[in-house]
Every structure is written in structure tokens, then in C-alpha cells.
Amino acid sequence: MEKLAYAIIGASMAVVVMTLFPISRAPISPDIGKATMDMASAPGAVQAHRHPPRDVSAELPQPSVTHLVFPDVMGGYNVQILPVHFKFTPAAINHAPKDNEGHAHIYVNGVKIARVYSNWYHLSGTSLVPGENEVRVTLNANDHSAWSVNGVPISSTVKVFIPEATP
């Protein structure tokens, strides 16, 4: 009986985790990414779209962001997001914007990969291509608009080099 109880609890936890972190992939538009590096077809890429910039209030401390990208020994990369004067507010997503609050977006080679609601994100190794890759993080308001200063989005860009596979 105890094993059955553990099985039910484990299954319930799996349902909760799968609900909070779905692994389905959004369909990719064939019109996205006519550049040399077509990341729109990469696994995990999200259909391209833009949100208008939203200037931060001049009366408050100006937010900024930097980030680090670390190889993960289990595969892929860990992205550490280091915002200043900015608070992640996942519970307020899709609500009215509040100054210096919201979430982040991660882009690889100009293609949005994910929304991020905390300081860490695991980036799949398949998101990067051999050669130089740009991993960019933007700070976004609850309504998904990009926080900006004088119309320039608040962001950080890190270049990650992936060596060519050897046969």
C-alpha cells in the first residue's frame, strides 16, 4: 500500500511539473530568419515577434542587466542573468507594467528562444550552431514590452563560440 501511495504522489508531482514547465514546441513560421544563420528552424525556437520599447521612469533608478553563459557538464549551457534595479515578477505576467519589474527574454542569434522568470535558464545545446553565436538577454515588462532607455532596449549580449564537430 505504501508503494501505491508513493506512486500516486510521484505521478501527481509529475503532472504539476509538466503543467508548470510544458515541453511542447511552438510551430515555426517558414518566413522567419532569411539570414545566413537560420536559427528559426532550431529546436526550441519560438516564432519571431517584437514588443514595443517602454522607457523606464526617469524618477527611479535605471535598471541594467548583464549575463554569463556557462557550459553545463550534462549538456547545453546555463545562463545566469544579473539584473540591477530590476525585480523578476513571474506572478504578474500579462498584467499592467510596473516600473523596474517583469521578466527577461533570451535570444540566440536574433531569434527569441524563451521567456525567463528568474536569474537562471538552461539553454539547450541544440540552440547554438557551430561558430560564433550571440546570446542576448532583454529586460521586459509584465506586458512583454522591452524596458528601454531613450528607446534603446535594456539588454546584454554574450558571444559563445561552438567548435566545428570533428569526424
Side-chain angles (χ1 to χ4, degrees):
M1 195 62 143
E2 184 177 296
K3 289 182 181 179
L4 177 62
Y6 283 128
I8 292 171
I9 291 169
S12 300
M13 289 176 59
V15 168
V16 169
V17 168
M18 289 177 10
T19 302
L20 292 174
F21 306 103
I23 56 175
S24 64
R25 304 218 191 285
I28 307 298
S29 167
D31 298 329
I32 299 174
K34 301 295 183 194
T36 306
M37 280 193 211
D38 183 6
M39 287 304 295
S41 59
V46 181
Q47 201 168 22
H49 61 280
R50 301 202 188 278
H51 298 290
R54 175 182 298 280
D55 275 348
V56 296
S57 172
E59 294 81 39
L60 295 174
Q62 182 178 347
S64 63
V65 66
T66 188
H67 71 288
L68 305 169
V69 180
F70 303 99
D72 187 320
V73 295
M74 298 298 289
Y77 296 84
N78 293 315
V79 180
Q80 182 183 17
I81 302 169
L82 303 164
V84 175
H85 303 300
F86 181 83
K87 179 181 175 187
F88 285 102
T89 55
I93 195 72
N94 299 323
H95 288 90
K98 287 188 178 179
D99 287 331
N100 298 16
E101 292 186 3
H103 60 284
H105 290 178
I106 290 189
Y107 298 81
V108 173
N109 298 324
V111 176
K112 182 178 170 188
I113 299 298
R115 291 185 204 159
V116 183
Y117 301 107
S118 70
N119 295 80
W120 289 93
Y121 179 77
H122 180 76
L123 182 64
S124 166
T126 60
S127 298
L128 304 176
V129 297
E132 188 175 271
N133 295 268
E134 279 194 1
V135 179
R136 183 169 55 101
V137 172
T138 61
L139 296 182
N140 297 77
N142 297 327
D143 67 353
H144 306 283
S145 57
W147 285 117
S148 61
V149 176
N150 298 321
V152 177
I154 298 169
S155 67
S156 172
T157 301
V158 170
K159 294 187 187 245
V160 178
F161 184 80
I162 305 297
E164 296 285 336
T166 54

